[in-house]
Amino acid sequence: MRTLLTGGSVVAKGRPELRDGGDVLVDGTDIAALGPAGSLATELVDRVVDTAGGIVVPGLVNTHQHDWYLYGKGLGGDMLLERWITDCLFPLKARLDTDDLRVASELAALDMLRGGTTSSVNHLVTETTPEQDKAILGPVADVGVRQFFAKVIRPADHARRYEGAREAFETWDGAAGGRIRVGFVLEATAHWVAMGTCSEEMVLGGHALAVEKDTFVTSHIAGGTMSRESGYLKFVLETGRTDPQFLHRLGVLDHRWILAHTINPRDNDLDLIAAAGATVAHTPSSESARGAGITPVKRMLDNGIRVSIGTDGPMVDLTNDMVEQLKWTRLLQNQLHHTPSSIDLDKLITMATEDGARAVGAADRIGTIEVGKAADIAVFDLTTLHSGPAVHRPLSTFVHAARGTDARHVMVDGELLLEDGHFTRATELHVAALMREAGERGRALARRAGLLPA
């Protein structure tokens, strides 16, 4: 199948002239050619997609997401992080069943796809069986998006030589035509350590497994409130080290790590992260929702740290919208640094695309619009009432005025999974039924967890 996307403002690597209107030719799964609008012949293509009035960007890469969190939308909204974890997150995760995970996985994949996100890191916070892994990843394969599945490793797994993690990797890594990849969760932040989810042996052995499998590792790092009573500062003072220092002293902090949040770096943390080549996954709206502070993203960038973007999950801030995160990221840094131009717009797009792809080791295939790369592409409409008229700086309009639901066309591996705002693999009736089931499951789960009356 040869598809020509023509007319829109194209954000292609090394091709600034295409911002004024460009063509993207897709042949099979890959990008075959780029050129100014109207320059590529239409005679030998199977399909022409009009992108005029829109902006054409690489598919968005969400590097920190918890798919099943949609069941907790609206719960724990006024809690600081530490209480939210103990009183909301833990009771819910302890009572999830396999079908809950299946429904949430499909709905989250569709939600992100509808917003132009083509790849996501699903950071698990609960141990899963092989049956549950299948329940999560089967729907992902059916929807057609990419998922970087982060399998939980816990201290007890060390004695079993990480059998569950090995099995998940061998079963699923490279599945669905390579759209599913597997990495590992090694929780190393202070308050997770205090809850028994981490040990030095676990981190050392889990990281060795990631090196063996040549894959990524993800962890919540340096988050929470700076409180001496119950927050992150309490643990820093008690242990005499920060989270990045903990990983550095173990000798495992390297380019494989996706350090989620990293809201409160201290001492030499930024130097350690930069030297290691690790990635910080910034989730601005969720961090704001918990009142956790403003992550010093500009300082990180100035320090040479790779920063990517994530959504965290809708139990935290009620959204999976990556476009929303772009605006939040820039505006919060503007406020923090008292400047209206804290982060360059092109860099912001790179954070949400190419830098995310590099974080999971997939930048050779995704993250940019370039000839030879996989055709993971999102086209957003800028002719809406809230975005138009976008006649001056389409990229600025996209970041500051557009919404995820403005995605008009979304392509993964050259297949249009969203066409003219409609799913091509799922009917509206199916999505509506899935939403109803998710609502019923969310209420039942909250009752089982004691968060709603029985």
Side-chain angles (χ1 to χ4, degrees):
M1 171 72 76
R2 288 167 62 86
T3 302
L4 179 64
L5 307 174
T6 180
S9 175
V10 179
V11 181
K13 190 168 186 177
R15 301 294 300 271
E17 74 277 11
L18 303 184
R19 302 290 179 89
D20 294 328
D23 286 356
V24 181
L25 178 64
V26 175
D27 190 355
T29 61
D30 294 354
I31 298 169
L34 299 170
S39 67
L40 300 183
T42 61
E43 292 83 0
L44 299 179
V45 302
D46 302 293
R47 174 175 51 194
V48 176
V49 177
D50 182 8
T51 62
I55 188 167
V56 183
V57 299
L60 303 176
V61 182
N62 182 343
T63 51
H64 189 67
Q65 157 70 8
H66 305 285
D67 284 1
W68 70 263
Y69 276 18
L70 59 89
Y71 290 127
K73 274 189 176 181
L75 295 176
D78 297 326
M79 298 178 183
L80 289 172
L81 178 70
E82 291 77 16
R83 185 182 162 210
W84 177 83
I85 288 174
T86 58
D87 294 4
C88 188
L89 171 60
F90 273 46
L92 288 171
K93 83 180 186 70
R95 291 160 180 83
L96 284 166
D97 64 32
T98 300
D99 284 333
D100 290 335
L101 293 171
R102 173 185 56 79
V103 171
S105 180
E106 183 175 4
L107 200 55
L110 289 168
D111 184 20
M112 286 187 281
L113 174 62
R114 185 64 189 84
T117 296
T118 55
S119 302
S120 66
V121 174
N122 185 8
H123 181 127
L124 298 188
V125 293
T126 185
E127 296 165 274
T128 51
T129 65
E131 180 187 13
Q132 289 172 330
D133 293 344
K134 183 178 180 180
I136 294 168
L137 293 171
V140 172
D142 292 341
V143 172
V145 293
R146 298 185 194 277
Q147 184 171 120
F148 294 86
F149 177 71
K151 174 80 171 179
V152 162
I153 290 176
R154 292 286 189 247
D157 293 331
H158 174 71
R160 298 192 293 267
R161 295 193 67 253
Y162 310 99
E163 293 172 358
R166 289 179 181 276
E167 181 178 354
F169 188 93
E170 290 161 8
T171 301
W172 289 102
D173 191 67
R179 294 192 307 276
I180 293 173
R181 302 302 304 272
V182 177
F184 306 119
V185 173
L186 297 172
E187 295 294 8
T189 195
H191 56 261
W192 285 88
V193 172
M195 293 175 185
T197 61
C198 178
S199 69
E200 292 188 4
E201 293 80 11
M202 180 202 85
V203 173
L204 290 167
H207 180 262
L209 179 61
V211 173
E212 175 191 327
K213 300 301 185 183
D214 192 20
T215 192
F216 67 94
V217 177
T218 182
S219 176
H220 295 94
I221 291 290
T225 54
M226 293 299 282
S227 164
R228 291 173 178 267
E229 286 71 40
S230 61
Y232 178 57
L233 180 59
K234 171 180 183 289
F235 295 106
V236 171
L237 295 174
E238 287 177 354
T239 60
R241 51 82 174 166
T242 65
D243 291 347
Q245 288 169 354
F246 173 57
L247 296 176
H248 173 72
R249 292 172 187 176
L250 289 177
V252 299
L253 185 60
D254 62 12
H255 69 281
R256 301 180 187 280
W257 287 85
I258 300 174
L259 307 175
H261 310 310
T262 320
I263 306 167
N264 299 307
R266 295 168 55 85
D267 305 328
N268 64 337
D269 283 351
L270 296 188
D271 291 334
L272 293 177
I273 295 169
T279 301
V280 170
H282 179 47
T283 63
S285 63
S286 84
E287 292 159 15
S288 300
R290 293 286 135 238
I294 302 176
T295 303
V297 172
K298 187 178 186 302
R299 281 179 50 211
M300 292 175 177
L301 295 174
D302 291 344
N303 218 61
I305 294 172
R306 181 190 303 117
V307 182
S308 60
I309 304 292
T311 57
D312 206 8
M315 180 160 54
V316 189
D317 63 340
L318 281 73
T319 184
N320 286 328
D321 189 337
M322 278 284 286
V323 178
E324 183 178 341
Q325 305 311 309
L326 297 176
K327 182 175 181 178
W328 272 91
T329 296
R330 195 167 201 248
L331 295 189
L332 286 173
Q333 296 305 302
N334 288 354
Q335 184 76 353
L336 186 63
H337 294 279
H338 306 292
T339 174
S341 58
S342 58
I343 301 176
D344 178 77
L345 291 171
D346 282 286
K347 180 56 182 176
L348 198 60
I349 298 300
T350 299
M351 290 164 62
T353 55
E354 184 177 5
D355 287 341
R358 292 195 182 282
V360 292
D364 61 326
R365 286 294 291 156
I366 64 172
T368 58
I369 295 179
E370 290 183 85
V371 172
K373 289 284 190 78
D376 286 20
I377 298 170
V379 181
F380 290 87
D381 187 3
L382 297 183
T383 66
T384 61
L385 281 172
H386 53 269
S387 289
V391 294
H392 299 302
R393 299 177 66 201
L395 190 59
S396 180
T397 299
F398 172 60
V399 168
H400 295 104
R403 302 165 185 168
T405 50
D406 294 337
R408 186 191 303 169
H409 311 289
V410 182
M411 180 178 277
V412 176
D413 265 347
E415 180 185 352
L416 276 172
L417 299 176
L418 188 79
E419 187 171 9
D420 290 322
H422 299 286
F423 297 116
T424 61
R425 290 194 180 190
T427 66
E428 292 183 9
L429 287 175
H430 174 73
V431 175
L434 196 66
M435 288 285 291
R436 286 194 297 273
E437 183 177 0
E440 293 166 359
R441 289 187 171 278
R443 285 187 290 273
L445 176 61
R447 291 189 188 101
R448 294 197 300 273
L451 301 179
L452 289 179

